[in-house]
mmCIF file of all heavy atoms in Angstrom:
data_model
loop_
_atom_site.group_PDB
_atom_site.id
_atom_site.type_symbol
_atom_site.label_atom_id
_atom_site.label_comp_id
_atom_site.label_asym_id
_atom_site.label_seq_id
_atom_site.Cartn_x
_atom_site.Cartn_y
_atom_site.Cartn_z
ATOM 1 N N ALA A 199 25.436 7.150 31.313
ATOM 2 C CA ALA A 199 24.136 7.290 31.970
ATOM 3 C C ALA A 199 23.595 5.945 32.418
ATOM 4 O O ALA A 199 23.006 5.822 33.501
ATOM 5 C CB ALA A 199 23.157 7.998 31.046
ATOM 6 N N ARG A 200 23.781 4.916 31.588
ATOM 7 C CA ARG A 200 23.345 3.568 31.966
ATOM 8 C C ARG A 200 24.098 3.058 33.190
ATOM 9 O O ARG A 200 23.510 2.536 34.151
ATOM 10 C CB ARG A 200 23.506 2.642 30.787
ATOM 11 C CG ARG A 200 23.212 1.179 31.042
ATOM 12 C CD ARG A 200 21.728 0.951 31.338
ATOM 13 N NE ARG A 200 20.879 1.249 30.198
ATOM 14 C CZ ARG A 200 19.594 0.983 30.163
ATOM 15 N NH1 ARG A 200 18.986 0.406 31.192
ATOM 16 N NH2 ARG A 200 18.860 1.310 29.104
ATOM 17 N N TYR A 201 25.410 3.257 33.167
ATOM 18 C CA TYR A 201 26.230 2.810 34.287
ATOM 19 C C TYR A 201 25.891 3.531 35.610
ATOM 20 O O TYR A 201 25.859 2.967 36.670
ATOM 21 C CB TYR A 201 27.718 2.993 33.984
ATOM 22 C CG TYR A 201 28.633 2.590 35.100
ATOM 23 C CD1 TYR A 201 28.889 1.237 35.388
ATOM 24 C CD2 TYR A 201 29.278 3.554 35.888
ATOM 25 C CE1 TYR A 201 29.719 0.864 36.421
ATOM 26 C CE2 TYR A 201 30.123 3.182 36.928
ATOM 27 C CZ TYR A 201 30.329 1.838 37.196
ATOM 28 O OH TYR A 201 31.159 1.472 38.211
ATOM 29 N N ARG A 202 25.561 4.823 35.465
ATOM 30 C CA ARG A 202 25.268 5.623 36.679
ATOM 31 C C ARG A 202 23.801 5.526 37.103
ATOM 32 O O ARG A 202 23.397 6.156 38.094
ATOM 33 C CB ARG A 202 25.608 7.129 36.410
ATOM 34 C CG ARG A 202 26.973 7.373 35.888
ATOM 35 C CD ARG A 202 28.089 7.003 36.844
ATOM 36 N NE ARG A 202 28.151 7.846 38.040
ATOM 37 C CZ ARG A 202 29.196 7.886 38.864
ATOM 38 N NH1 ARG A 202 30.269 7.183 38.604
ATOM 39 N NH2 ARG A 202 29.169 8.641 39.925
ATOM 40 N N GLY A 203 23.018 4.726 36.404
ATOM 41 C CA GLY A 203 21.660 4.449 36.806
ATOM 42 C C GLY A 203 20.628 5.511 36.518
ATOM 43 O O GLY A 203 19.617 5.618 37.197
ATOM 44 N N ILE A 204 20.876 6.315 35.468
ATOM 45 C CA ILE A 204 19.915 7.405 35.139
ATOM 46 C C ILE A 204 19.421 7.266 33.695
ATOM 47 O O ILE A 204 18.942 8.219 33.105
ATOM 48 C CB ILE A 204 20.547 8.789 35.348
ATOM 49 C CG1 ILE A 204 21.784 8.982 34.483
ATOM 50 C CG2 ILE A 204 20.867 9.000 36.816
ATOM 51 C CD1 ILE A 204 22.291 10.431 34.481
ATOM 52 N N ASN A 205 19.507 6.048 33.117
ATOM 53 C CA ASN A 205 19.062 5.838 31.715
ATOM 54 C C ASN A 205 18.125 4.638 31.667
ATOM 55 O O ASN A 205 18.422 3.627 31.056
ATOM 56 C CB ASN A 205 20.308 5.573 30.843
ATOM 57 C CG ASN A 205 19.978 5.272 29.385
ATOM 58 O OD1 ASN A 205 20.717 4.608 28.707
ATOM 59 N ND2 ASN A 205 18.854 5.751 28.910
ATOM 60 N N ASP A 206 16.970 4.788 32.304
ATOM 61 C CA ASP A 206 15.974 3.730 32.302
ATOM 62 C C ASP A 206 14.594 4.361 32.585
ATOM 63 O O ASP A 206 14.208 4.555 33.710
ATOM 64 C CB ASP A 206 16.300 2.670 33.373
ATOM 65 C CG ASP A 206 15.419 1.445 33.268
ATOM 66 O OD1 ASP A 206 14.400 1.492 32.539
ATOM 67 O OD2 ASP A 206 15.750 0.443 33.895
ATOM 68 N N ALA A 207 13.894 4.627 31.494
ATOM 69 C CA ALA A 207 12.584 5.299 31.623
ATOM 70 C C ALA A 207 11.596 4.425 32.427
ATOM 71 O O ALA A 207 10.722 4.952 33.106
ATOM 72 C CB ALA A 207 11.997 5.589 30.245
ATOM 73 N N SER A 208 11.744 3.087 32.352
ATOM 74 C CA SER A 208 10.823 2.219 33.107
ATOM 75 C C SER A 208 11.015 2.359 34.610
ATOM 76 O O SER A 208 10.138 1.971 35.376
ATOM 77 C CB SER A 208 11.055 0.761 32.677
ATOM 78 O OG SER A 208 12.303 0.276 33.131
ATOM 79 N N ARG A 209 12.137 2.927 35.018
ATOM 80 C CA ARG A 209 12.382 3.170 36.433
ATOM 81 C C ARG A 209 12.360 4.645 36.810
ATOM 82 O O ARG A 209 12.884 5.065 37.840
ATOM 83 C CB ARG A 209 13.746 2.552 36.835
ATOM 84 C CG ARG A 209 13.769 1.042 36.674
ATOM 85 C CD ARG A 209 15.143 0.493 37.062
ATOM 86 N NE ARG A 209 15.176 -0.956 36.930
ATOM 87 C CZ ARG A 209 14.831 -1.823 37.865
ATOM 88 N NH1 ARG A 209 14.417 -1.362 39.044
ATOM 89 N NH2 ARG A 209 14.895 -3.119 37.676
ATOM 90 N N GLY A 210 11.767 5.441 35.946
ATOM 91 C CA GLY A 210 11.545 6.852 36.253
ATOM 92 C C GLY A 210 12.726 7.747 35.974
ATOM 93 O O GLY A 210 12.765 8.894 36.463
ATOM 94 N N THR A 211 13.715 7.279 35.162
ATOM 95 C CA THR A 211 14.814 8.153 34.777
ATOM 96 C C THR A 211 14.740 8.446 33.294
ATOM 97 O O THR A 211 13.695 8.307 32.677
ATOM 98 C CB THR A 211 16.187 7.553 35.201
ATOM 99 O OG1 THR A 211 16.322 6.243 34.607
ATOM 100 C CG2 THR A 211 16.261 7.427 36.704
ATOM 101 N N LEU A 212 15.860 8.802 32.675
ATOM 102 C CA LEU A 212 15.834 9.281 31.286
ATOM 103 C C LEU A 212 15.862 8.140 30.277
ATOM 104 O O LEU A 212 16.612 7.185 30.424
ATOM 105 C CB LEU A 212 17.038 10.189 31.053
ATOM 106 C CG LEU A 212 17.057 11.494 31.813
ATOM 107 C CD1 LEU A 212 18.457 12.088 31.799
ATOM 108 C CD2 LEU A 212 16.052 12.487 31.183
ATOM 109 N N SER A 213 15.058 8.275 29.218
ATOM 110 C CA SER A 213 15.132 7.336 28.139
ATOM 111 C C SER A 213 16.364 7.664 27.288
ATOM 112 O O SER A 213 16.910 8.779 27.334
ATOM 113 C CB SER A 213 13.891 7.445 27.238
ATOM 114 O OG SER A 213 13.852 8.700 26.585
ATOM 115 N N SER A 214 16.839 6.711 26.512
ATOM 116 C CA SER A 214 17.993 6.946 25.604
ATOM 117 C C SER A 214 17.656 8.042 24.599
ATOM 118 O O SER A 214 18.530 8.870 24.266
ATOM 119 C CB SER A 214 18.365 5.682 24.884
ATOM 120 O OG SER A 214 18.890 4.722 25.786
ATOM 121 N N TYR A 215 16.434 8.076 24.155
ATOM 122 C CA TYR A 215 16.004 9.110 23.180
ATOM 123 C C TYR A 215 16.128 10.517 23.811
ATOM 124 O O TYR A 215 16.659 11.454 23.194
ATOM 125 C CB TYR A 215 14.589 8.834 22.728
ATOM 126 C CG TYR A 215 14.072 9.758 21.633
ATOM 127 C CD1 TYR A 215 14.907 10.228 20.613
ATOM 128 C CD2 TYR A 215 12.747 10.180 21.672
ATOM 129 C CE1 TYR A 215 14.424 11.067 19.609
ATOM 130 C CE2 TYR A 215 12.237 11.030 20.669
ATOM 131 C CZ TYR A 215 13.097 11.476 19.672
ATOM 132 O OH TYR A 215 12.601 12.313 18.664
ATOM 133 N N SER A 216 15.670 10.669 25.030
ATOM 134 C CA SER A 216 15.800 11.973 25.721
ATOM 135 C C SER A 216 17.253 12.344 25.880
ATOM 136 O O SER A 216 17.633 13.501 25.664
ATOM 137 C CB SER A 216 15.114 11.929 27.090
ATOM 138 O OG SER A 216 13.709 11.776 26.945
ATOM 139 N N LEU A 217 18.085 11.392 26.246
ATOM 140 C CA LEU A 217 19.527 11.672 26.383
ATOM 141 C C LEU A 217 20.133 12.148 25.069
ATOM 142 O O LEU A 217 20.885 13.119 25.083
ATOM 143 C CB LEU A 217 20.249 10.425 26.862
ATOM 144 C CG LEU A 217 20.387 10.194 28.362
ATOM 145 C CD1 LEU A 217 20.926 8.798 28.625
ATOM 146 C CD2 LEU A 217 21.307 11.236 29.014
ATOM 147 N N VAL A 218 19.798 11.460 23.986
ATOM 148 C CA VAL A 218 20.326 11.881 22.687
ATOM 149 C C VAL A 218 19.892 13.316 22.358
ATOM 150 O O VAL A 218 20.724 14.152 21.928
ATOM 151 C CB VAL A 218 19.863 10.918 21.592
ATOM 152 C CG1 VAL A 218 20.249 11.462 20.199
ATOM 153 C CG2 VAL A 218 20.524 9.542 21.763
ATOM 154 N N LEU A 219 18.651 13.639 22.570
ATOM 155 C CA LEU A 219 18.173 15.003 22.309
ATOM 156 C C LEU A 219 18.861 16.013 23.221
ATOM 157 O O LEU A 219 19.183 17.137 22.785
ATOM 158 C CB LEU A 219 16.629 15.063 22.507
ATOM 159 C CG LEU A 219 15.815 14.287 21.498
ATOM 160 C CD1 LEU A 219 14.340 14.364 21.875
ATOM 161 C CD2 LEU A 219 16.005 14.812 20.083
ATOM 162 N N MET A 220 19.141 15.649 24.458
ATOM 163 C CA MET A 220 19.867 16.544 25.358
ATOM 164 C C MET A 220 21.271 16.842 24.853
ATOM 165 O O MET A 220 21.740 18.002 24.926
ATOM 166 C CB MET A 220 19.889 15.929 26.767
ATOM 167 C CG MET A 220 18.578 15.941 27.493
ATOM 168 S SD MET A 220 18.576 14.954 29.023
ATOM 169 C CE MET A 220 19.708 15.907 30.017
ATOM 170 N N VAL A 221 21.944 15.803 24.339
ATOM 171 C CA VAL A 221 23.303 16.039 23.802
ATOM 172 C C VAL A 221 23.231 16.899 22.560
ATOM 173 O O VAL A 221 24.023 17.836 22.398
ATOM 174 C CB VAL A 221 24.000 14.707 23.512
ATOM 175 C CG1 VAL A 221 25.426 14.969 23.020
ATOM 176 C CG2 VAL A 221 24.032 13.806 24.736
ATOM 177 N N LEU A 222 22.321 16.600 21.642
ATOM 178 C CA LEU A 222 22.229 17.383 20.420
ATOM 179 C C LEU A 222 21.915 18.851 20.736
ATOM 180 O O LEU A 222 22.503 19.764 20.137
ATOM 181 C CB LEU A 222 21.120 16.813 19.515
ATOM 182 C CG LEU A 222 21.406 15.396 18.936
ATOM 183 C CD1 LEU A 222 20.185 14.932 18.112
ATOM 184 C CD2 LEU A 222 22.651 15.372 18.079
ATOM 185 N N HIS A 223 21.023 19.072 21.701
ATOM 186 C CA HIS A 223 20.708 20.449 22.103
ATOM 187 C C HIS A 223 21.931 21.163 22.621
ATOM 188 O O HIS A 223 22.200 22.313 22.244
ATOM 189 C CB HIS A 223 19.619 20.402 23.174
ATOM 190 C CG HIS A 223 19.473 21.681 23.938
ATOM 191 N ND1 HIS A 223 18.751 22.761 23.453
ATOM 192 C CD2 HIS A 223 19.932 22.082 25.161
ATOM 193 C CE1 HIS A 223 18.795 23.753 24.335
ATOM 194 N NE2 HIS A 223 19.521 23.378 25.373
ATOM 195 N N TYR A 224 22.716 20.481 23.454
ATOM 196 C CA TYR A 224 23.948 21.109 23.941
ATOM 197 C C TYR A 224 24.900 21.433 22.807
ATOM 198 O O TYR A 224 25.468 22.550 22.774
ATOM 199 C CB TYR A 224 24.622 20.160 24.945
ATOM 200 C CG TYR A 224 26.074 20.462 25.178
ATOM 201 C CD1 TYR A 224 26.434 21.616 25.900
ATOM 202 C CD2 TYR A 224 27.082 19.644 24.689
ATOM 203 C CE1 TYR A 224 27.781 21.916 26.108
ATOM 204 C CE2 TYR A 224 28.420 19.950 24.909
ATOM 205 C CZ TYR A 224 28.755 21.081 25.631
ATOM 206 O OH TYR A 224 30.079 21.409 25.794
ATOM 207 N N LEU A 225 25.076 20.531 21.878
ATOM 208 C CA LEU A 225 25.995 20.789 20.759
ATOM 209 C C LEU A 225 25.507 21.915 19.832
ATOM 210 O O LEU A 225 26.296 22.572 19.211
ATOM 211 C CB LEU A 225 26.204 19.502 19.939
ATOM 212 C CG LEU A 225 26.836 18.322 20.686
ATOM 213 C CD1 LEU A 225 26.856 17.078 19.769
ATOM 214 C CD2 LEU A 225 28.238 18.674 21.158
ATOM 215 N N GLN A 226 24.189 22.063 19.764
ATOM 216 C CA GLN A 226 23.593 23.138 18.945
ATOM 217 C C GLN A 226 23.749 24.528 19.574
ATOM 218 O O GLN A 226 23.780 25.522 18.850
ATOM 219 C CB GLN A 226 22.100 22.912 18.753
ATOM 220 C CG GLN A 226 21.733 21.763 17.820
ATOM 221 C CD GLN A 226 20.235 21.580 17.793
ATOM 222 O OE1 GLN A 226 19.532 21.751 18.817
ATOM 223 N NE2 GLN A 226 19.677 21.249 16.645
ATOM 224 N N THR A 227 23.775 24.574 20.891
ATOM 225 C CA THR A 227 23.650 25.883 21.598
ATOM 226 C C THR A 227 24.964 26.417 22.140
ATOM 227 O O THR A 227 24.974 27.409 22.880
ATOM 228 C CB THR A 227 22.639 25.753 22.728
ATOM 229 O OG1 THR A 227 23.005 24.689 23.601
ATOM 230 C CG2 THR A 227 21.238 25.481 22.184
ATOM 231 N N LEU A 228 26.054 25.783 21.790
ATOM 232 C CA LEU A 228 27.380 26.334 22.167
ATOM 233 C C LEU A 228 27.603 27.656 21.437
ATOM 234 O O LEU A 228 27.021 27.893 20.352
ATOM 235 C CB LEU A 228 28.490 25.326 21.790
ATOM 236 C CG LEU A 228 28.555 24.082 22.665
ATOM 237 C CD1 LEU A 228 29.420 23.016 21.988
ATOM 238 C CD2 LEU A 228 29.083 24.411 24.056
ATOM 239 N N PRO A 229 28.428 28.541 21.976
ATOM 240 C CA PRO A 229 28.741 29.807 21.273
ATOM 241 C C PRO A 229 29.147 29.588 19.815
ATOM 242 O O PRO A 229 28.764 30.341 18.930
ATOM 243 C CB PRO A 229 29.850 30.423 22.108
ATOM 244 C CG PRO A 229 29.621 29.879 23.498
ATOM 245 C CD PRO A 229 29.110 28.474 23.275
ATOM 246 N N GLU A 230 29.968 28.564 19.576
ATOM 247 C CA GLU A 230 30.244 28.095 18.209
ATOM 248 C C GLU A 230 29.642 26.700 18.131
ATOM 249 O O GLU A 230 30.199 25.735 18.611
ATOM 250 C CB GLU A 230 31.778 28.026 17.964
ATOM 251 C CG GLU A 230 32.416 29.355 17.695
ATOM 252 C CD GLU A 230 32.060 29.909 16.320
ATOM 253 O OE1 GLU A 230 31.335 29.219 15.554
ATOM 254 O OE2 GLU A 230 32.514 31.052 16.005
ATOM 255 N N PRO A 231 28.469 26.575 17.479
ATOM 256 C CA PRO A 231 27.788 25.275 17.466
ATOM 257 C C PRO A 231 28.606 24.178 16.764
ATOM 258 O O PRO A 231 29.307 24.464 15.804
ATOM 259 C CB PRO A 231 26.484 25.595 16.689
ATOM 260 C CG PRO A 231 26.318 27.063 16.811
ATOM 261 C CD PRO A 231 27.704 27.639 16.853
#
Side-chain angles (χ1 to χ4, degrees):
R200 175 67 64 172
Y201 178 75
R202 308 296 292 195
I204 60 171
N205 176 207
D206 189 347
S208 69
R209 297 179 179 272
T211 56
L212 292 163
S213 67
S214 293
Y215 184 38
S216 293
L217 270 170
V218 171
L219 293 176
M220 289 169 65
V221 182
L222 294 177
H223 165 80
Y224 162 70
L225 297 176
Q226 287 176 325
T227 55
L228 289 165
E230 283 287 358

